[in-house]
Amino acid sequence: MAEFPHLPLVQTITGIHKPPKGGGNNALDPRTSNNLANRGQHGQSLKNITTGLRDDRSKVIDERRAAGLPDLPGQDAIPIFLQVDTKLFNIESLRGMGIEIIAEELDGFIIGASSDGFTSLHAKIDKFINEEGKFKNQAAQLWQIVAGNQWRAQQILSEELFAKWPNIADDDTLIVDISVACYINKPPQPVMEEGEEEQHYQAKPARWEAKIQEIELQKSDLADERAESIQEFLSVYSADINPESVQFEDSFCFRVTLPGQALKDFVLNYPYVFEVIEYVEVDAPLIIDGEVVENDLDIVAPQDNAPKICIIDSGMQENHRLLAPAILALESVNYDPFDATTADLVAQGGHGTRVTGAVLYGEDIPAQGSHQLHCFILNARVLNRDNMMSSQLYPPALMGDIVYNFVDSKIFNLSINTTIPCRLVHMSPWAAAIDQLSHEEEVLFIVSAGNLKKSTGVVTNPGIMEHVAAGRNYPQYLLEASCRIADPAQSKFAITVGSVCLGDFEDPDRISFGQRDTISSFSRTGLGLWGGIKPEVVEYGGDWVREKLGTNLSYENSINPLLVRAGGTGVDRGTVGTSFSAPKVTHIASKLQAAFPNESALLYKTLIIQSARLPQNLFRTPTLTAMRMFGYGMPNLNRATENSERRVTLVESATVKPGVANLYTIYIPQELRRPGEDFDILIEVTLCYTAKPRRTRRRTQSYLSSWLSWESSKIGELYDPFKARVLKHMEDPEADSVEDNNSIKWSVWSNPGWGTVKGLKRQDSATQKDWIVVKSNTLPEQLSFAVIGHKGWERDLFEEVPFSFAVSLEVLDGELEIYERIRAVNQVEVEQQIQVVI
């Protein structure tokens, strides 16, 4: 047991928020105001456009039948593309207008489908024109409906596929990933009305649960019906649909090989499709022959109860002397359809073998002596001998196959990415599948951020040499949109890992891009989707060396990471990449599981993030640029697993419901707050959680079934007033917008204008860390925190959202001992939870 173990964070109360009745008095958008002032004109315009859409749809169906083309699946539904006032209009209310929401797009635009010929919508518009009914003003918030269907290709296709769209011939063969909306709205969970008798209310929850079960069955039937109709439609074109598919709460996705004619027909006419992406190859890092170093190390197998870590990669050299005692070879699985082997066949030292070595040894591989391995390795081979993934493997479904096959593993290392930056509108099927598995199976994925290639020759996706040739300097070019993290690194619940330099190099002709602890020249950067902080952490992955008088790049062994090499028994420094920084974080995660085998994967993630620190002095003066490159910084094994006399970490793993806050208080002893003392105290706070994802919406709060945030007390704010403030404003973390002199000046904060880092909000990420350095004599007597549950799209208000929460205090200078003092004053019995309704 560690000499200074983590301490339990004592929950003092559970507070239930009852939101006040009534709305705000926000000024109307000019477009909404103008529509209200011109009801007849606006309403008639909407009706004219939708009538035209209905006529156009009928004409298309008639023309198809006359030409002998197959009937369209869902041809009775009319596609519609509309824009709404995002400040006022609840897009879910479109269902009351007879419009199924297919997908939420940018700037308030919605892809929808009407199954009643716009009858319900026209009825709503007539009430708007005539100022009738409770929702007589709602249509004013419906800003526009786009005529025709010219919008479909641009909105539905990926950017790369849309660029090819005009030149796709009917007989071209394409491999695409298709996403189809499939959702039936659920009624809200009944709550007891004011003055309602208990006896009258008691029957409502049972009826609601029965209705929800009925809807789930209907949704399953609807998904089957749409999938079958699509298969029938595409079979006419001799399309080859991959048998693997993935189902989400509101959609399903699949891969298909089809001719250009079928693609055009499907995209332009099928009403329920919201995304079509051309198959993108995964990244294949360049590997060279590094100088092989043999060692005289005596390897001891892990203990029988050691954790099992799954490596999803190119296989591994299972008989390698440095790896063999840890590899459970009898459980290895090959998923590549063309190679019946689990070996790492990638030339010049392998890929998965190097990744495996980094998981087992971290940054240092001893050269001699005795070394006991701390974990077992499970081998999931998905990349072939060319370090590529077959197009026959569908990554979203593959992730599920692997997790369900390796049920003994809590931690999965995925050093695989696509070759282009991730898209920013919807979560990709691959990343969403990782999120869904993370929540449902309680596992942790650790994913590389992706690498910029040495050179691509592609203007829209330049490599490092193209950036340098264009005069874009290091490291500024890493902030270009083309350098954004690559799929599936945008996953909300995975830990995404970027790379930093091991050291620097210079000779008369060449020089490295960076120095130790600066961003690697190839490391893809954030932000992630919807303002989320990505990558979360960085590790040592090496750097390229460039010519001083040219653009050519090369390797230099002295600044490359030391990795286990396939094809022998030794190690080398033959490659660089985020592929090899990610497993160093997995190394820390596996050490955490070995130390705390009965804890959740969420706690391992939380402790890794809590241990991270921006390099050099950036953690004292963080910037948005630093956060985009480094995330929260570099994790540290010692800080993650234990404490010291000068550092104390308090942790909690629990659940919380939407509309509920779990409150915690840490008592700070007087001797640490003594006037005249001015020690620098670093306070760090990390919250990690998971929830159910859906893909047709955008923004974290509508992507997740429920979402969490955390809040802290102010300096001098005692527990009771803090509790009252949190419960009053918990529905909107930004609502408590009074920043005063007593506010703790967090680095990120819940309002984009408050923190040291401007333009970020903690709650836009599912991994929420913040920190501040304060003087010891300014510490409050009580430091209270609230973990707050918020409603997302889930109608079940009793949904339990799992989370882990950590708070650390550390003395950065001087010899002030705090661990025992804080432990002593906080070692109290957990109070009985009290529910407080405000």
Side-chain angles (χ1 to χ4, degrees):
M1 183 175 178
E3 184 179 359
F4 299 99
H6 302 318
L7 303 178
L9 193 59
V10 178
Q11 179 175 333
T12 55
I13 198 169
T14 296
I16 299 179
H17 171 65
K18 185 176 181 180
K21 296 182 178 180
N25 296 312
N26 294 332
L28 291 178
D29 187 281
R31 295 185 65 172
T32 300
S33 296
N34 185 64
N35 293 338
L36 285 169
N38 299 277
R39 289 176 181 270
Q41 180 182 351
H42 178 62
Q44 193 59 50
S45 174
L46 296 178
K47 291 179 70 173
N48 290 344
I49 293 173
T50 50
T51 299
L53 292 176
R54 183 175 59 200
D55 294 343
D56 290 345
R57 186 67 167 177
S58 296
K59 184 178 178 180
V60 167
I61 292 172
D62 292 342
E63 289 176 347
R64 291 178 62 84
R65 286 172 177 166
L69 291 173
D71 286 344
L72 288 169
Q75 67 183 16
D76 293 335
I78 306 172
I80 182 173
F81 189 50
L82 52 90
Q83 187 184 25
V84 301
D85 184 339
T86 55
K87 291 183 179 179
L88 293 178
F89 191 87
N90 178 6
I91 66 172
E92 306 303 330
S93 65
L94 286 170
R95 300 183 186 279
M97 301 179 179
I99 296 174
E100 178 179 345
I101 302 168
I102 307 304
E104 179 185 7
E105 302 297 303
L106 296 171
D107 300 323
F109 280 98
I110 308 293
I111 300 175
S114 172
S115 59
D116 67 354
F118 297 120
T119 300
S120 299
L121 177 60
H122 284 188
K124 292 281 188 180
I125 294 173
D126 286 339
K127 289 187 175 183
F128 166 71
I129 293 174
N130 298 318
E131 298 189 58
E132 297 174 352
K134 181 179 179 181
F135 302 105
K136 61 185 179 182
N137 297 329
Q138 190 177 40
Q141 302 158 22
L142 205 170
W143 284 351
Q144 65 167 315
I145 297 174
V146 180
N149 73 343
Q150 294 83 359
W151 55 270
R152 288 187 64 81
Q154 185 169 10
Q155 292 300 318
I156 292 171
L157 300 176
S158 63
E159 294 79 1
E160 294 75 20
L161 193 53
F162 180 68
K164 297 180 180 180
W165 186 251
N167 301 315
I168 295 176
D170 286 351
D171 58 354
D172 285 346
T173 299
L174 300 100
I175 303 174
V176 296
D177 295 341
I178 292 176
S179 297
V180 176
C182 183
Y183 186 69
I184 299 177
N185 196 35
K186 299 175 183 177
Q189 188 177 35
V191 294
M192 185 177 292
E193 301 292 336
E194 187 173 347
E196 183 178 15
E197 294 182 1
E198 176 71 25
Q199 185 176 1
H200 181 267
Y201 170 76
Q202 281 179 349
K204 290 183 178 180
R207 289 199 300 267
W208 178 79
E209 290 178 4
K211 182 63 176 178
I212 294 298
Q213 292 177 3
E214 179 185 343
I215 288 175
E216 290 293 342
L217 291 174
Q218 292 174 354
K219 187 174 67 175
S220 178
D221 291 342
L222 180 61
D224 291 342
E225 176 188 323
R226 289 186 179 175
E228 290 171 6
S229 65
I230 290 170
Q231 188 167 10
E232 291 176 6
F233 173 74
L234 292 178
S235 66
V236 175
Y237 291 101
S238 300
D240 181 15
I241 298 178
N242 191 306
E244 296 273 18
S245 64
V246 173
Q247 180 79 45
F248 296 101
E249 182 73 20
D250 61 344
S251 59
F252 62 88
C253 50
F254 61 95
R255 176 167 291 176
V256 59
T257 304
L258 76 178
Q261 183 185 14
L263 178 66
K264 293 176 184 177
D265 196 358
F266 189 80
V267 168
L268 292 177
N269 294 304
Y270 182 65
Y272 305 119
V273 60
F274 68 91
E275 184 179 71
V276 178
I277 301 174
E278 189 171 15
Y279 160 70
V280 179
E281 292 182 340
V282 301
D283 188 22
L286 177 64
I287 297 175
I288 65 170
D289 275 318
E291 181 180 350
V292 180
V293 179
E294 299 291 344
N295 55 41
D296 186 23
L297 191 62
D298 180 24
I299 306 297
V300 180
Q303 296 180 358
D304 292 342
N305 62 348
K308 297 178 180 180
I309 310 301
C310 183
I311 310 295
I312 307 172
D313 215 281
S314 64
M316 56 195 69
Q317 183 183 334
E318 295 180 338
N319 64 350
H320 196 291
R321 190 172 65 83
L322 296 176
L323 309 180
I327 297 175
L328 300 174
L330 294 179
E331 299 182 37
S332 299
V333 178
N334 170 62
Y335 293 91
D336 180 74
F338 300 107
D339 274 330
T341 180
T342 56
D344 185 359
L345 303 180
V346 177
Q348 298 179 315
H351 188 266
T353 301
R354 288 183 161 104
V355 169
T356 302
V359 171
L360 289 174
Y361 294 97
E363 186 59 34
D364 298 312
I365 303 175
Q368 57 187 1
S370 178
H371 181 83
Q372 182 173 32
L373 301 175
H374 66 283
C375 67
F376 290 105
I377 298 295
L378 297 168
N379 178 8
R381 183 178 184 268
V382 301
L383 302 181
N384 60 24
R385 63 184 65 226
D386 296 320
N387 218 19
M388 307 291 286
M389 185 184 294
S390 168
S391 62
Q392 293 186 22
L393 295 177
Y394 185 43
L398 181 62
M399 298 299 100
D401 292 343
I402 291 171
V403 170
Y404 300 141
N405 192 61
F406 295 102
V407 294
D408 291 335
S409 182
K410 286 185 183 180
I411 299 169
F412 295 80
N413 188 96
L414 183 67
S415 289
I416 303 172
N417 304 88
T418 59
T419 55
I420 60 176
C422 71
R423 303 185 72 212
L424 293 179
V425 180
H426 298 289
M427 189 67 72
S428 74
W430 192 357
I434 288 173
D435 287 340
Q436 185 164 270
L437 291 164
S438 298
H439 177 67
E440 293 179 352
E441 304 303 319
E442 300 179 358
V443 296
L444 173 61
F445 277 82
I446 296 172
V447 181
S448 51
N451 306 313
L452 294 184
K453 285 187 172 294
K454 179 180 179 182
S455 176
T456 65
V458 180
V459 175
T460 57
N461 187 34
I464 299 172
M465 292 175 63
E466 284 82 11
H467 282 296
V468 173
R472 292 186 285 269
N473 296 324
Y474 163 89
Q476 284 74 24
Y477 68 75
L478 292 171
L479 301 176
E480 297 284 325
S482 62
C483 301
R484 187 169 56 247
I485 56 174
D487 195 21
Q490 71 273 33
S491 158
K492 282 291 179 182
F493 301 146
I495 296 180
T496 300
V497 187
S499 176
V500 290
C501 301
L502 268 167
D504 60 285
F505 172 84
E506 184 175 7
D507 66 16
D509 303 314
R510 302 178 301 153
I511 188 171
S512 59
F513 283 84
Q515 300 176 332
R516 185 175 177 86
D517 295 337
T518 60
I519 191 76
S520 298
S521 57
F522 53 78
S523 187
R524 290 186 174 272
T525 61
L527 298 172
L529 262 67
W530 317 312
I533 294 173
K534 288 284 179 176
E536 282 92 354
V537 295
V538 291
E539 259 287 3
Y540 292 119
D543 195 18
W544 285 97
V545 170
R546 60 182 174 86
E547 292 179 346
K548 292 181 177 179
L549 299 179
T551 61
N552 286 335
L553 307 182
S554 59
Y555 283 117
E556 169 55 43
N557 282 341
S558 65
I559 58 172
N560 289 355
L562 183 66
L563 301 165
V564 175
R565 174 190 170 89
T569 59
V571 298
D572 71 3
R573 296 183 181 273
T575 188
V576 299
T578 60
S579 288
F580 313 113
S581 55
K584 292 178 181 178
V585 177
T586 305
H587 173 78
I588 297 175
S590 60
K591 287 278 192 176
L592 281 165
Q593 187 176 356
F596 312 116
N598 298 321
E599 297 293 346
S600 67
L602 261 179
L603 180 62
Y604 306 151
K605 176 184 179 182
T606 300
L607 291 174
I608 290 170
I609 303 301
Q610 183 77 341
S611 77
R613 193 164 296 175
L614 286 168
Q616 300 166 358
N617 207 35
L618 280 174
F619 82 95
R620 288 182 181 266
T621 56
T623 63
L624 180 58
T625 294
M627 298 290 289
R628 289 180 61 185
M629 291 182 176
F630 302 101
Y632 299 112
M634 185 172 294
N636 178 276
L637 177 60
N638 289 334
R639 286 198 296 264
T641 53
E642 57 183 319
N643 300 278
S644 68
E645 292 177 342
R646 294 166 52 189
R647 177 182 172 88
V648 58
T649 301
L650 301 98
V651 298
E652 164 76 326
S653 291
T655 61
V656 67
K657 301 172 186 175
V660 174
N662 289 7
L663 278 73
Y664 308 89
T665 293
I666 300 172
Y667 296 94
I668 310 297
Q670 173 62 39
E671 55 265 38
L672 302 186
R673 302 181 283 112
R674 187 177 296 116
E677 303 285 7
D678 61 350
F679 296 100
D680 282 348
I681 306 293
L682 172 65
I683 305 174
E684 297 170 289
V685 184
T686 299
L687 169 67
C688 296
Y689 69 94
T690 65
K692 293 180 292 186
R694 65 176 181 180
R695 294 196 56 237
T696 59
R697 306 299 193 270
R698 56 183 307 275
R699 296 178 298 111
T700 300
Q701 288 80 1
S702 55
Y703 171 66
L704 298 176
S705 57
S706 300
W707 57 281
L708 305 187
S709 65
W710 64 265
E711 184 57 81
S712 69
S713 58
K714 299 182 179 184
I715 300 296
E717 185 178 33
L718 297 180
Y719 177 78
D720 286 338
F722 169 68
K723 176 188 68 178
R725 178 168 63 86
V726 165
L727 297 182
K728 179 180 179 182
H729 295 288
M730 63 190 295
E731 284 299 310
D732 183 0
E734 294 182 56
D736 185 19
S737 57
V738 179
E739 180 190 358
D740 55 37
N741 291 332
N742 293 324
S743 299
I744 297 178
K745 312 299 182 183
W746 295 108
S747 296
V748 179
W749 225 338
S750 58
N751 184 302
W754 292 355
T756 305
V757 182
K758 306 299 182 185
L760 290 180
K761 293 189 296 183
R762 283 197 303 255
Q763 60 270 26
D764 284 339
S765 300
T767 303
Q768 301 174 15
K769 179 174 182 178
D770 223 326
W771 68 100
I772 184 174
V773 178
V774 300
K775 292 297 183 181
S776 57
N777 55 27
T778 66
L779 285 169
E781 178 184 350
Q782 298 175 7
L783 190 58
S784 294
F785 297 91
V787 175
I788 306 167
H790 304 273
K791 182 182 176 183
W793 53 259
E794 177 56 70
R795 295 290 195 166
D796 183 359
L797 298 180
F798 294 105
E799 178 188 36
E800 296 281 357
V801 182
F803 71 87
S804 285
F805 188 59
V807 181
S808 296
L809 291 89
E810 180 177 347
V811 182
L812 296 180
D813 57 357
E815 297 301 324
L816 181 64
E817 297 180 2
I818 66 172
Y819 182 92
E820 284 299 332
R821 288 169 172 156
I822 289 183
R823 183 195 62 78
V825 297
N826 288 278
Q827 194 174 32
V828 296
E829 294 294 326
V830 178
E831 299 180 24
Q832 182 178 359
Q833 293 184 9
I834 305 171
Q835 296 186 341
V836 176
V837 179
I838 299 233

